[in-house]
Amino acid sequence: MAIDGRGHMAALRPSTGQWMSAAFCVALVLVLAIRLSVPLHDQLGMALRATARWSFLWFWLASTGGALAALSGTKFQAIALRARDFGLAFAAAHLVHLGLVAFLLYRSTTPFPRFPLVLFSIGVFWVYLLAFLSFRPASLMLQPRTVSLIRSVGVEYITFIFLYDFVKDSLQDGAGQFFLYLPFLTLGFGGPLLRLAAAGKRTRV
């Protein structure tokens, strides 16, 4: 606990660096747990899926918190105020996933399909461009409307990449796999809808 400027007790809030460190470390723990408990031939694929899903949760919070707050008042304000922290936590957690992808490409004895590789590479560009622009000195190099447009395009492209991956994986191995991915599909499709509804409400106001 700490004393705030008005003499009240205030809970210590995690810093941006702590959010990033926690997200990154949990992703590493997931990889280690899979390494110790999963058969060798399934380890890399499962680790890729687990780290992608983990980083997606951070991305979803970062990209929809403002929309949830706009649509429901103060109920989700705490999430909206942490959007930058969650976004940088997503970028940090995703580094572990990128390391696994690099290992997959290094180990592969056959050429990786070009189309998904191009889509994935563009997505990586957007992830770390948005992370770069989340720092004030970087964002001040551009006009505010330009930064807002870049963020909107980047967020929707990253959403598309996640959905592409979720839909592709959910259609494999029958209905059981689809229901396993249903929560992620719901969040993935719900994000753009929430942002669109929030934009409409702001326009009306």
Side-chain angles (χ1 to χ4, degrees):
M1 302 292 286
I3 305 294
D4 65 15
R6 293 169 298 178
H8 298 149
M9 297 296 289
L12 291 175
R13 294 181 177 180
S15 66
T16 301
Q18 288 172 324
W19 284 111
M20 294 173 68
S21 298
F24 181 82
C25 289
V26 170
L28 286 179
V29 169
L30 287 173
V31 174
L32 179 61
I34 291 168
R35 176 70 177 84
L36 296 175
S37 62
V38 174
L40 182 61
H41 63 278
D42 289 333
Q43 287 178 3
L44 183 56
M46 185 171 290
L48 284 165
R49 291 190 294 272
T51 52
R53 282 42 173 175
W54 171 243
S55 63
F56 170 74
L57 295 177
W58 291 103
F59 169 73
W60 196 87
L61 289 172
S63 61
T64 60
L68 289 170
L71 292 170
S72 61
T74 59
K75 186 181 296 185
F76 293 97
Q77 194 64 32
I79 296 177
L81 293 174
R82 286 292 185 183
R84 178 178 178 273
D85 293 339
F86 294 153
L88 288 172
F90 159 59
H94 212 57
L95 284 173
V96 179
H97 182 72
L98 294 181
L100 293 172
V101 171
F103 180 70
L104 173 65
L105 294 173
Y106 171 77
R107 200 183 70 168
S108 178
T109 56
T110 58
F112 201 82
R114 179 172 296 181
F115 179 69
L117 184 60
V118 171
L119 288 180
F120 179 81
S121 300
I122 296 173
V124 172
F125 165 79
W126 279 112
V127 170
Y128 294 101
L129 176 61
L130 296 187
F132 176 70
L133 290 176
S134 71
F135 294 95
R136 186 171 176 81
S139 64
L140 289 176
M141 293 189 296
L142 301 172
Q143 294 293 327
R145 292 184 67 177
T146 302
V147 174
S148 178
L149 177 61
I150 290 173
R151 285 176 175 158
S152 296
V153 173
V155 162
E156 300 311 331
Y157 186 87
I158 295 167
T159 300
F160 163 73
I161 294 298
F162 275 118
L163 282 173
Y164 172 84
D165 190 45
F166 294 159
V167 170
K168 174 175 62 67
D169 289 348
S170 69
L171 297 178
Q172 299 174 359
D173 301 328
Q177 189 76 349
F178 174 79
F179 285 109
L180 182 65
Y181 275 86
L182 188 57
F184 295 100
L185 290 168
T186 302
L187 292 175
F189 283 108
L193 295 176
L194 287 170
R195 289 189 289 274
L196 185 62
K201 182 176 180 179
R202 294 187 189 105
T203 301
R204 290 194 301 272
V205 172

